[in-house]
Amino acid sequence: MSRHHFHTLDRIYFRTKRWIAFAVMFALFAGLLLSGAPAAQAALPDLQLQARAAILMDAETGQVLYQLNADEPLPPASMAKMMTEYLVEKSVQEGKISWSDVVTVGDNAAKQIGSRVFLAKGDKHTVEELYKATAIASANDASVQLAEYIAGSEQEFVKLMNQTAREMGLTNTHFINATGLDRADMPEEFRPAENRETEMSARDAAMLAYHIIKEVPQLLETAKIPSLKFRERDDKPTPNWNWMLESNKDVPNFRKFAYPGVDGLKTGHTSRAGNNFTGTALRDGTRLIAVVMQVPGGVNDGNRFLETAKLFDYGFNNFEKKSIVEAKQQAGTLPVKKGKQKQVSAITASDITILVPKGTTVEIAETTINEPADGLTAPIKAGDHIGTVTYKYPDPVTGETRTGTVDLLAGEDVEKANWFVLLLRSIGGFFSGLFKGIVDMF
């Protein structure tokens, strides 16, 4: 074979080699780009909800599993009473009032319309009686009387409602009364000066329910009572407006609406607001919160409960609990001053558990260990609190970055070093610093 042929083969060989190298480098670069890309937002299913707005939330973490126009401010009607009930529970909890306090009914309560227990001016009832009327029968008159008893007037109570809403981070909520009634339906002399209406978004309603379940869970014990006989002389009890209560499974009129695990929370209806409902259900250790707003139909057809059942079915059937961080797992180490050992194992005090679509996993994207501002100094006992750790991870539904923080505990004892060891470390540190300073000069 001639020298010319060898040169030709060499050129072909090296040209092919360059193309192969380029292709490999391109593939690796593309792989790096793709691997670093954030997870795409999970597509929400079409639940064919008949509602203007809706949301499904995990009651343990506040994680959103489904949402539809969730931030649109809408009239909540009697769902506004969730805040009234929350503040009554808080007032009792803080010792400001007691369940046995006797309250005298005033003009404002006696003039209320809509759902009520027909309080008359001068009637006397306990706080507990008025509270049950509010939570079970959705009584406007009882709600107003509780508001006046706590704050002196309904409008002073409204200030407390709006202040609490801000503290809870309810950014699309505004109250004008303790009932959720339209301004025009309030007794004229007790209407607020501002020409506004009560508004609340589905997300805010769910977050209010979240705070209720976290802070005053005993509220559900009243909310799940199936009926109320307000006075002994009443002909028959008033059914709870929440027809989804599990206890209704044997009630002929409500059987088709009863849902396993439902024990709250609040309905709402006016001609302007339409049919609204905030419900909560506990099944197999998982509690969900569902909100539907402006469900079409009449107040007595129960459609709002059927739409809420779609949300609960979706949540309970398609999600499972998964711990993305286990309790008692090592998160890293932290430096210790004056100890026999110079560092201590940092162990998570609790887990981080979220709801994920069944069959999926969530990977931790970032871990940050936060030690005390002054550091750690021996002696340290195993189990001592030594800091916190914050994890970042992608929300399995929205794709947004979420964070979770847990306490860190010492994994083992760290005894204080004796004076001789500390002296040697000090001398070693001095010469190490001196040597580094000399090296830096050159």
Side-chain angles (χ1 to χ4, degrees), residues 18-34:
R18 284 199 301 270
W19 276 108
I20 292 172
F22 176 77
V24 170
M25 289 178 64
F26 179 79
L28 288 172
F29 182 68
L32 286 171
L33 286 177
L34 291 173

Side-chain angles (χ1 to χ4, degrees), residues 364-381:
I364 298 297
E366 184 179 317
T367 302
T368 304
I369 294 180
N370 314 296
E371 61 181 296
D374 297 331
L376 297 172
T377 303
I380 295 172
K381 292 289 186 184

Side-chain angles (χ1 to χ4, degrees), residues 30 88 134 186 279 294 350:
V88 171
T134 301
M186 298 172 65
Q294 290 196 3
S350 57

Side-chain angles (χ1 to χ4, degrees), residues 223-240:
K224 71 181 182 182
I225 296 173
S227 64
L228 172 71
K229 194 170 186 180
F230 186 67
R231 302 176 184 85
E232 285 300 321
R233 67 175 185 270
D234 290 347
D235 292 337
K236 56 184 179 180
T238 301
N240 193 317

Side-chain angles (χ1 to χ4, degrees), residues 103-369:
V103 181
T104 302
V105 176
D107 280 338
N108 192 5
K111 292 180 178 180
Q112 294 295 311
I113 65 170
S115 298
R116 58 197 189 278
V117 286
F118 300 96
L119 297 177
K121 184 179 179 180
D123 283 355
K124 295 182 185 297
H125 296 280
T126 65
V127 167
E128 184 176 11
E129 290 169 344
L130 296 172
Y131 179 74
K132 286 182 175 179
T134 301
I136 301 167
S138 195
N140 294 322
D141 45 6
S143 183
V144 166
Q145 194 54 61
L146 287 169
E148 291 188 340
Y149 183 65
I150 290 172
S153 72
E154 185 180 16
Q155 288 309 304
E156 284 300 310
F157 186 78
V158 166
K159 292 179 182 177
L160 183 58
M161 295 173 79
N162 285 316
Q163 176 187 330
T164 305
R166 288 191 294 273
E167 291 170 355
M168 289 181 177
L170 312 186
T171 56
N172 291 301
T173 291
H174 180 75
F175 298 102
I176 68 164
N177 53 39
T179 61
L181 283 172
D182 292 348
R183 188 175 186 277
D185 291 330
M186 298 172 65
E188 188 171 357
E189 63 269 38
F190 295 102
R191 293 173 189 168
E194 60 175 350
N195 190 24
R196 293 185 66 178
E197 297 286 357
T198 293
E199 291 182 324
M200 181 183 288
S201 67
R203 188 185 310 278
D204 284 357
M207 283 305 301
L208 176 51
Y210 171 85
H211 281 279
I212 286 172
I213 293 165
K214 286 287 187 182
E215 299 173 35
V216 288
Q218 66 273 15
L219 186 152
L220 296 178
E221 295 301 314
T222 303
K224 71 181 182 182
I225 296 173
S227 64
L228 172 71
K229 194 170 186 180
F230 186 67
R231 302 176 184 85
E232 285 300 321
R233 67 175 185 270
D234 290 347
D235 292 337
K236 56 184 179 180
T238 301
N240 193 317
W241 279 97
N242 179 1
W243 301 349
M244 280 194 91
L245 290 173
E246 183 177 15
S247 57
N248 284 330
K249 63 182 182 297
D250 297 320
V251 179
N253 289 341
F254 302 145
R255 186 180 295 135
K256 72 175 181 177
F257 306 113
Y259 194 94
V262 169
D263 53 3
L265 194 57
K266 196 72 197 72
T267 59
H269 171 84
T270 63
S271 56
R272 188 173 74 91
N275 301 297
N276 303 328
F277 181 52
T278 298
T280 181
L282 175 64
R283 287 172 57 179
D284 299 324
T286 297
R287 180 177 286 281
L288 300 180
I289 297 167
V291 179
V292 292
M293 301 186 75
Q294 290 196 3
V295 175
V299 67
N300 292 318
D301 59 21
N303 284 346
R304 54 185 160 182
F305 306 117
L306 300 178
E307 298 307 305
T308 303
K310 292 179 184 178
L311 288 170
F312 282 146
D313 284 346
Y314 171 66
F316 287 122
N317 294 339
N318 293 282
F319 288 83
E320 61 184 352
K321 283 185 175 180
K322 187 161 290 188
S323 293
I324 58 173
V325 174
E326 298 290 346
K328 299 182 180 179
Q329 78 175 36
Q330 184 165 340
T333 59
L334 286 174
V336 179
K337 293 179 286 188
K338 300 182 179 180
K340 283 188 175 181
Q341 296 85 39
K342 294 183 179 181
Q343 59 186 23
V344 62
S345 301
I347 308 299
T348 54
S350 57
D351 64 2
I352 296 179
T353 299
I354 62 173
L355 291 176
V356 302
K358 289 181 177 178
T360 65
T361 59
V362 174
E363 299 294 336
I364 298 297
E366 184 179 317
T367 302
T368 304
I369 294 180

